[in-house]
Amino acid sequence: MAREFSTVGVVGLGTMGAGIVEVFARNGIDVVAVEISEPALERGRVTLTGSTDRAVAKGKLAAADRDALHERVHFAVGLDALHSVDLVIEAVPEHLDLKQRIFAELDRVCRPETILATNTSSLSVTEISVATTRPNQVIGIHFFNPAPVMKLVEVVRTVVTAPEVVADVEALCARLGKVDVTINDRAGFIANALLFGYLNHAVGMFESHYATREDIDAAMKLGCGLPMGPLALMDLIGLDTAYEILDTMYRRGGRDRRHAPVPLLKQMVTAGLLGRKSGRGFYTYERPGSPVVVPDEATPLASAVALADGARAITKVGVVGSGTMATGIIEVFAKAGYEVVSVTRGAEKSAKVCEAVKTSLNKGVVRGKLAEADRDAALGRISWSAALDHLADVDLVVEAVVEELSVKKALFASLDEICKPGVVLATTTSSLPVIDVAMATHRPADVVGLHFFNPAPIMPLVEVVRTIRTSPETTATARAVCAALGKTAVVCGDRSGFIVNALLFPYLNDAVKMLEASYSTADDIDHAMKLGCGYPMGPFDLLDVVGLDVSLAIQRELYLELREPGFAPAPLLEHLVTAGYLGRKTRRGFRDHSHR
Ligand SMILES: NC(=O)c1ccc[n+]([C@@H]2O[C@H](COP(=O)([O-])OP(=O)(O)OC[C@H]3O[C@@H](n4cnc5c(N)ncnc54)[C@H](O)[C@@H]3O)[C@@H](O)[C@H]2O)c1
């Protein structure tokens, strides 16, 4: 029989604590909500009211249920109010000494059988537990932000946590409608261990002006389907909290340089720019605590003005290549009203590409997304050729041939001879340096990367890669073309992985390392990222879809270029590739897909 929890205490009503109070009170449990001072208590009360009022406005909570919820919460200053609760969850700032002091005090105030839990993200639950005389009743209950929304709870047991305490807390999570994963006490547990290296890397990209905050965030939202970009997420987490988590993970997690907080973070925290809670972090908010972003001096000008800046007129586009990407890109341009010249290496290949474009457009018609007349008009705008000479009068060339530098360089040298002056020459490479293909021509200022995502007709993102020789006009033209295609362009520097792959693949690689270390299972890791962070797929689902060989190749490139020890490919990933387990395409990767 699991223990009944009728009253719980929550200590600290900040970003997490206020949400945790709401979770309990919503599920019929009485809560004693404690803060350090009257003003802090009032802030917590306001947060709770704001959140429940929004839920009522959205039709997710009945007004009567909201009122009942509030009646279940008793607010108090000081820990003494927790003398008769069954369980306490502590959610004060991420400092070990503070938490230890609070646990020592809780140990004194609370009944002997009360379970004492911490919501710490990165500190050692074990070290917190030894501040009490009941370490076997101390456990980590790690909620995700925002607590009322995110389904996951990481239950952290130490080597001395009593098994019945773990079982009772697991049962409690189920009662709260949460999904729990139970794990051992390691810095960052599952989700944060995989998340914070990525977040810190994104801050580093921003700090080094590799891309703008809007572009970094748009890239991860649109390229990976994440619910928020990394910088917006940092603002939600709170930069002070994020700093402490990174700092602890760096010290506890083997001094991985990727967890050493990017200096900008410390500066922002010192300057009081803490994210949403202070009204300003990477973005500026309507007021402290508000989720509404308002324009500030870093907000880009209205896109139309910015785009027109020096952009060249493009009406006719050449697409070179006959693979998946070329096929999709031809369709995208033709549908958007451009005249398209497709160049392949022979009539047979052209016929195949033509068939593939027709099939894809027909699917659009069948699904009611494209009128027959528009399909016919799009097809009518495409001409098919096997000779590069036909690109003599196009305004833009998009190259999407095989991912081999020598082939691309030879092609760009030919384009340099054939194309008229002023043409923008674009490569869709996802891993090669754009500057290498640019320098195969005598006009590197006109060369840019246009990194489409697969499938090109569906994915809304294009990375516009500018090299150190790309002219502002070329970049402006590339952006304007993406806008005309209905895509979101993000501009970044010419570094391995651009934005999306550079941020995505090290995270996937870290998930493999975590599995390899037997810290958790592939299922739990996938769960944690989906339910804790709102990712559309877990890392192992995604690796099997992308292909383990492709993932390994990208990770190797990143490692070779940046020489970051933490980027070294996970040995398990290498072994699976060697064994021919490449993912769905070979029916086996991290999972067996032969019966699906
Ligand atoms: N922010 C996140 O996204 C997130 C997610 C999961 C877990 N956590 C963890 O939750 C904990 C709280 O983080 P947060 O982001 O909510 O911090 P926060 O700064 O938003 O809130 C902390 C609150 O604790 C209060 N407090 C400080 N000292 C206190 C004391 N002695 N007694 C009572 N209250 C006190 C503060 O007044 C403040 O309201 C940390 O351990 C953090 O790592 C944070």
Side-chain angles (χ1 to χ4, degrees), residues 319-323 325-326 329 398-402 408 411 426-429:
V319 180
V320 187
S322 52
M325 289 315 288
I329 292 167
V398 181
E399 164 279 311
V401 304
V402 67
K408 293 202 193 262
L411 175 61
T427 170
T428 56
T429 182

Side-chain angles (χ1 to χ4, degrees), residues 2 27 36 64 94 97-98 140 184 208 217 223 228 233 259 313 320 333 343 351 376 398 487 494 559 561 580:
N27 287 281
I36 193 168
E94 191 77 343
D97 51 347
L98 172 65
N184 295 332
S208 63
D217 280 351
M228 328 179 69
L233 179 55
H259 292 137
V320 187
F333 276 100
V343 179
D376 297 342
V398 181
K487 306 280 186 201
D494 185 20
Y559 180 54
E561 182 169 292

Side-chain angles (χ1 to χ4, degrees), residues 229 316 373 414 417 445:
K316 195 167 177 181
S414 306
E417 282 173 14

Side-chain angles (χ1 to χ4, degrees), residues 11-18 20 34-37 40 43 78-79 90-95 98-99 101-102 118-123 142-145 192 196 233 236-238 240-242 245 277:
V11 183
L13 308 178
T15 309
M16 288 311 290
I20 295 170
V34 166
E35 258 291 353
I36 193 168
S37 64
R43 271 199 307 276
L79 302 181
E90 161 281 310
V92 304
E94 191 77 343
H95 297 291
L98 172 65
K99 292 196 192 256
R101 250 188 294 126
I102 287 184
T118 171
N119 184 49
T120 182
S121 308
S122 58
L123 294 168
H142 184 234
F143 284 87
F144 286 77
N145 188 357
N192 285 348
F196 272 79
L233 179 55
L236 174 71
I237 292 170
D240 50 345
T241 302
I245 293 174
K277 61 183 164 191

Side-chain angles (χ1 to χ4, degrees), residues 449-493:
L450 272 184
H451 185 225
F452 284 84
F453 288 72
N454 188 17
I458 292 170
M459 294 297 284
L461 184 73
V462 179
E463 286 174 319
V464 172
V465 185
R466 76 178 158 208
T467 75
I468 42 174
R469 301 279 304 256
T470 307
S471 73
E473 294 73 33
T474 302
T475 308
T477 310
R479 294 182 66 144
V481 166
C482 292
L485 295 175
K487 306 280 186 201
T488 298
V490 294
V491 179
C492 64

